[in-house]
Amino acid sequence: METENHTGRPDFLLVGLSSRPEQEGLLLALFLTLYLLNLLGNLLIILLIRSDAQLSSTPMYFFLSHLSFVDICFTSTTIPKMLHNLRVGRKNITFAGCMAQMYFFIAFAITENFLLGAMALDRFVAIRQPLHYFLLMSPIRCHLMVFVAWALAHLHSFMHTVLMSGLSFCGHRHIPHFFCDFQPLVVMACSQKRLSEMLSFFEGGTIIIGNFVLILISYAFIVQTVFRLPSAQGRGKAFQTCASHLTVVILFYSSAIGVYFRPLSSYSGDKDKVATVMYTVVTPMLNPFIYTLRNEDMKAALRRALEKLRGSRRM
């Protein structure tokens, strides 16, 4: 039953991933497992980088630690609420709670987008300008890039949320999603929403697709430089340093662009929910495995941490 909150705005109802009650137990177990893997994996990366002097002094791993933190925040914005709804059998969310969830979801998504761009720039400088790498990617510049990523992301999210909170929602209040996403809310709105649509399409397109294009251009130059290296061993090592980041980029942007950058008239709740799960749940969960299993520095840091742990137990 729909209720009204203290602001006079009726609650929304989150339909979730399935409308079949018999599937809720399976979904609860599945997404709880994925969420815990995400938390443990990304916390492990943060702890490894912060505790290892070699990694913490390298710009690439500085950005990676921030990416892992954003991944934790990103999934924590949506998954705990979904797990709670599956557990108690209630699907309502207040209007204020919905706007807050959408704000943080957009903010963390855009922050991740900028961090992936910063990591591509880092790999570009490391391979194209190796002698000037630590000068160009100084700690001050790295901190500044992270600060700008967070600031621009929250500014963009604030603009979206202010416009969305001013819209009117008529008829049913059922959101065909497992969280308060921008697209289904705009589709449900019955007031003038052209400004919100334009902001999403043009500014969002500039931020997401523009950043993705810059990443692709940087990798085109990287590939060009790598193929000029004289030894096959050097080429293999250069590609290895980029493989993990490029894998994450493909996973993140392929699903995000497919969901958000097309006409709202073509929005499909069931199909888009599956694609959204890919970059909101699966990709953040896979990131720790991608960066540890395919990265020799991370594996070496993990071995050093385990050796320290064994040494402390012997004492």
Side-chain angles (χ1 to χ4, degrees), residues 1-6 8-15 90-95 169-176 188:
M1 183 176 179
E2 293 182 11
T3 59
E4 291 200 9
N5 55 45
H6 67 279
R9 295 260 195 163
D11 291 355
F12 289 110
L13 290 176
L14 296 168
V15 174
R90 295 181 61 190
K91 298 183 177 183
N92 65 302
I93 183 171
T94 65
F95 181 84
F169 299 90
C170 309
H172 72 84
R173 313 282 291 188
H174 295 72
I175 301 175
M188 290 169 56

Side-chain angles (χ1 to χ4, degrees), residues 202-223:
F202 291 107
E203 188 186 355
T206 301
I207 290 174
I208 301 292
I209 297 180
N211 195 65
F212 180 54
V213 170
L214 290 176
I215 291 174
L216 293 180
I217 291 173
S218 68
Y219 270 103
F221 282 108
I222 288 172
V223 169

